Amino acid sequence: GAVVSQHPSWVICKSGTSVKIECRSLDFQATTMFWYRQFPKQSLMLMATSNEGSKATYEQGVEKDKFLINHASLTLSTLTVTSAHPEDSSFYICSARVTQGVNSPLHFGNGTRLTVT
Amino acid sequence: DAKTTQPTSMDCAEGRAANLPCNHSTISGNEYVYWYRQIHSQGPQYIIHGLKNNETNEMASLIITEDRKSSTLILPHATLRDTAVYYCMAIIQGAQKLVFGQGTRLTINP
C-alpha cells in the first residue's frame, strides 16, 4: 500500500512553454504533499508543500509564480512549471504521507525528468 | 531537525552485509532516526526508522547506540540492486518536511 504515482515520468518541452506534472496518492488520501527538485549529482531540495484546498507553501528562493501548485483533491497535486527555461531542467519528485497516519513514513513518487530545450 | 553525518561513499561485495554508519550527535529525545535510499533515476524509498530500540524489517536492520548519537543501517545480504544513495535523517515523527543531506553512495560489487 501507500503508493504515490507521478505522471509523466519524463517530458521534453521547448523553452517558453509550460509543463504540468501530476502526483497522485493511489491508495490513500493525503491532505499534504511535497514537491522536491533534484539536479544531477545533488541531493533532493524541497520546493514547496502542497495543501489540499489551500495555497501551497513555498521554500525560500522558490518562485511561486513560476512553479504553480494546485492540490484540488485528497489524492491529486499538480506542479506546473510555467514558461520553462533550460535551467528548469531537473528531476521533480513528489511525496505524501497517509493522512491519518502521522506515524507513517513519507512515500515518494518515481519522479518526473524534465528537459527544456 | 538534528544534523546527520554520513560517509560520502562505500563499497561492499555482493552477498556480504553492508553496514552504513550515521552520526547524529545532536539528536533530541523526540527525534527518530529514519533511513531512505534512492536508486538512480528513481524517487526515494523508505527503508526503516527507529527511536532508541534496534529495529528490523524485511529490508534492513537499524542499530542505534545507547546514547542515540549514532546508528548503523545493516543490509544483511547485499545484492547489486542495493546500489543506491542512502540517506539518514533525524526528524520528529510525523514531521511534515524531510530535509535530505548528501547521503552515502553505496556500491555493491559483484
Side-chain angles (χ1 to χ4, degrees), chain B residues 21-42:
Chain B
C22 179
N23 284 318
H24 31 80
S25 58
T26 61
I27 195 170
S28 60
N30 61 349
E31 287 182 313
Y32 287 67
V33 179
Y34 274 76
W35 284 84
Y36 282 80
R37 73 179 181 183
Q38 186 178 24
I39 295 170
H40 183 62
S41 294
Q42 296 184 22

Side-chain angles (χ1 to χ4, degrees), chain A residues 12-16 84-86 89 115-117:
Chain A
I12 301 173
C13 72
K14 291 187 176 180
S15 187
H85 291 287
S89 297
T115 302
V116 184
T117 62

Side-chain angles (χ1 to χ4, degrees), chain A residues 14-17 66 81-89 114 116-117:
Chain A
K14 291 187 176 180
S15 187
T17 61
K66 180 167 184 64
V81 183
T82 62
S83 187
H85 291 287
E87 57 265 31
D88 298 322
S89 297
L114 170 64
V116 184
T117 62

Side-chain angles (χ1 to χ4, degrees), chain A residues 31-32 34 36 38 41-46 49 59 91 93 97 102-111 113, chain B residues 32 34 36 38 40-46 49 87 91-103 105:
Chain A
T31 55
T32 305
F34 305 90
Y36 289 81
Q38 185 176 34
K41 297 188 178 181
Q42 295 187 23
S43 189
L44 288 81
M45 294 295 294
L46 180 66
T49 301
E59 296 298 303
F91 192 47
I93 309 167
R97 175 184 285 117
V102 292
N103 292 327
S104 66
L106 280 170
H107 296 277
F108 289 80
N110 261 338
R113 186 161 302 281
Chain B
Y32 287 67
Y34 274 76
Y36 282 80
Q38 186 178 24
H40 183 62
S41 294
Q42 296 184 22
Q45 177 188 23
Y46 165 77
H49 75 282
Y87 297 98
I91 59 175
I92 297 172
Q93 193 168 39
Q96 292 288 49
K97 299 193 291 188
L98 294 184
V99 177
F100 287 83
Q102 293 305 307
R105 183 172 298 277

